[in-house]
Amino acid sequence: MNIYKTVVRKVFLGVISIILLIVTFTTSTYAWFKINSSASIYGFDFSVHAGEGYLISLDDEHYGNYIDSYKIKAAILNSYNSDAFVIENQELYQVSYDQDNNATKTKLSENEVTQQLKNNIYLKPLTTTNGVVLKDLYGTTSRVTQGTFVEFKLYFKAASSEAEDRFNYGIYVLGEDMEQRDGSVVKKTTITTNNTADGLVNLKANLNTYAKIEGQLVPKVYNVGDSIRVDTSNAIRMSITDEASSKATIYELTNEYDLGSYATDYDKENDIRTEVSDETKAELDRLYNSNYNAMYTYYNNTQPYSPLTSKLLAFENKPETIRTLTSDTVLTRVQSGSNSKLLTFRFWLEGWDADCFDGITESINVNLSFGSKKMDWESNEN
């Protein structure tokens, strides 16, 4: 059975603000598979700012400390289809052909760019082991040209081109609110959901998950007719790849309504590792045991003749994600007098996530903040 016949298209609405780099975007939300669920379609809305110490660019030529929404959205469409959407002099043109194959280029306004994004970008359930190659749950590689995930690239370089200035900054994702020199506060990185009907899903089949009862997380079975809160933003993944090292860092940002991380074959009763505490095993069980994964158990109960059982993700193959943000994870470094660094940003809907199902999400708001810290000049690692 083709899983895409049962997938509700999901695009997310976000706003990203950054200390030294602020990226703001909006999209719409669709969920795992459709059972009387619906969502509105929104366009993207990006803006990018840079701060002290470095500059940013979309093309490694035009650098500055600000990239407006139009240019970011143009870059996304250009990544999606570089034949149909061409960037010239930082403007986006759509290319069309007549019956004689003569090309005509038409400059698109920001509203027209937004409409093109609405028409072409539909997030579908994907997964990855490395944050770079994304595949559907049947193992087929998904490409950015299919519009099933969002991708854009940014170049970073030190504000000074003189090596003797000895500037060396490490860039990281901000996990705490931070006050800037002018007294303004940049909010920490969050991904939240704007739900309709308080995010409640009326179940058409049973599902297994964990629930907080009297302050304790315990296994719980929800039955047909019950309602359960689902924040599908918890299923969004973001990876940031430093192309100089080909290293990708995957972020999984969740809230208190997180139903679990990945449906895998993990079972704490079979985990014989003595170096792992019982408390850690219990948390691993909640996050990765498919028997308590809401999406997995719900899907199999609604599709008994086409279950996901044979495709279950192996625990040892699950991607490593960052759930707690600290300055310890440096994405890349920029140095005065050195070449620029290229980072690739990808956003997708994680198909094995427990929250990736039958959502009624209206929109997802993403506040992604980056900070920078001064590094020793002798530190040349990526």
Side-chain angles (χ1 to χ4, degrees):
M1 178 178 180
N2 188 342
I3 195 170
Y4 286 146
K5 291 182 180 179
T6 57
V7 172
V8 177
R9 300 176 300 179
K10 174 172 181 174
V11 184
F12 56 92
L13 167 67
V15 176
I16 298 181
S17 55
I18 300 176
I19 288 183
L20 300 181
L21 165 67
I22 300 178
V23 182
T24 305
F25 68 96
T26 62
T27 78
S28 64
T29 297
Y30 282 92
W32 171 227
F33 58 94
K34 185 173 183 179
I35 303 179
N36 293 329
S37 61
S38 63
S40 300
I41 296 178
Y42 295 83
F44 294 78
D45 183 18
F46 284 82
S47 63
V48 180
H49 300 258
E52 181 183 0
Y54 69 90
L55 302 172
I56 54 178
S57 171
L58 288 167
D59 57 9
D60 206 19
E61 294 182 7
H62 303 89
Y63 276 92
N65 57 12
Y66 175 74
I67 302 175
D68 63 30
S69 173
Y70 174 89
K71 293 184 178 65
I72 292 292
K73 291 187 288 188
I76 293 172
L77 280 172
N78 179 251
S79 295
Y80 161 69
N81 189 337
S82 59
D83 293 325
F85 301 101
V86 178
I87 297 176
E88 294 182 359
N89 297 320
Q90 303 187 77
E91 302 281 0
L92 185 69
Y93 293 81
Q94 185 173 15
V95 182
S96 59
Y97 298 87
D98 61 21
Q99 59 184 6
D100 297 321
N101 206 34
N102 297 313
T104 300
K105 292 188 295 185
T106 304
K107 188 168 80 168
L108 299 180
S109 67
E110 183 160 3
N111 287 339
E112 290 170 327
V113 170
T114 296
Q115 187 61 49
Q116 288 295 333
L117 289 168
K118 292 179 183 179
N119 294 342
N120 292 292
I121 307 297
Y122 302 103
L123 300 194
K124 295 181 178 179
L126 302 175
T127 193
T128 182
T129 58
N130 58 15
V132 177
V133 178
L134 302 177
K135 298 181 178 182
D136 65 22
L137 301 192
Y138 291 90
T140 301
T141 298
S142 183
R143 305 190 183 283
V144 68
T145 53
Q146 296 173 308
T148 54
F149 63 95
V150 170
E151 177 179 297
F152 65 92
K153 300 176 184 293
L154 287 174
Y155 292 88
F156 297 72
K157 75 174 182 179
S160 172
S161 61
E162 304 298 328
E164 53 266 31
D165 286 337
R166 299 170 69 84
F167 290 160
N168 185 15
Y169 289 99
I171 299 170
Y172 62 92
V173 178
L174 189 68
E176 299 292 338
D177 293 353
M178 183 175 290
E179 184 175 353
Q180 300 185 93
R181 293 180 180 178
D182 61 3
S184 62
V185 176
V186 175
K187 295 296 184 180
K188 65 182 180 180
T189 298
T190 57
I191 297 181
T192 57
T193 301
N194 284 342
N195 290 306
T196 58
D198 296 324
L200 295 178
V201 174
N202 294 319
L203 300 180
K204 309 300 181 182
N206 296 350
L207 66 79
N208 300 344
T209 187
Y210 271 81
K212 185 175 288 187
I213 299 177
E214 295 181 354
Q216 299 295 320
L217 283 170
V218 296
K220 181 175 175 59
V221 177
Y222 287 88
N223 300 307
V224 176
D226 290 345
S227 295
I228 183 172
R229 172 164 175 159
V230 178
D231 281 3
T232 45
S233 60
N234 291 329
I236 292 293
R237 299 290 189 276
M238 171 187 68
S239 73
I240 304 174
T241 305
D242 181 359
E243 298 297 345
S245 63
S246 299
K247 176 186 176 183
T249 304
I250 304 175
Y251 293 92
E252 177 185 0
L253 307 179
T254 62
N255 61 25
E256 62 180 311
Y257 296 103
D258 181 22
L259 298 178
S261 185
Y262 290 88
T264 78
D265 58 5
Y266 182 82
D267 186 340
K268 66 179 180 181
E269 303 303 328
N270 297 323
D271 190 343
I272 60 174
R273 295 175 296 175
T274 57
E275 70 276 14
V276 179
S277 68
D278 290 342
E279 182 180 17
T280 297
K281 290 179 181 179
E283 179 66 2
L284 292 176
D285 212 44
R286 183 187 76 81
L287 294 176
Y288 305 116
N289 188 334
S290 61
N291 293 324
Y292 305 116
N293 184 286
M295 174 281 293
Y296 182 79
T297 58
Y298 190 48
Y299 181 88
N300 286 342
N301 286 333
T302 57
Q303 310 289 327
Y305 301 107
S306 180
L308 292 172
T309 306
S310 62
K311 306 167 189 66
L312 191 62
L313 186 66
F315 176 69
E316 61 268 22
N317 293 335
K318 71 171 180 60
E320 295 300 321
T321 64
I322 295 180
R323 297 168 63 89
T324 302
L325 303 181
T326 72
S327 61
D328 295 336
T329 303
V330 174
L331 300 170
T332 192
R333 295 186 175 95
V334 292
Q335 291 184 322
S336 55
S338 296
N339 294 331
S340 61
K341 293 293 186 67
L342 176 62
L343 296 184
T344 300
F345 296 77
R346 296 181 180 91
F347 296 84
W348 70 95
L349 181 64
E350 175 52 55
W352 286 111
D353 193 282
D355 298 86
C356 183
F357 80 94
D358 197 33
I360 54 175
T361 303
E362 183 177 272
S363 64
I364 295 176
N365 302 314
V366 181
N367 186 75
L368 174 61
S369 303
F370 288 81
S372 71
K373 57 183 180 180
K374 216 161 189 181
M375 313 293 290
D376 293 336
W377 173 251
E378 291 74 17
S379 176
N380 295 310
E381 302 174 10
N382 286 311

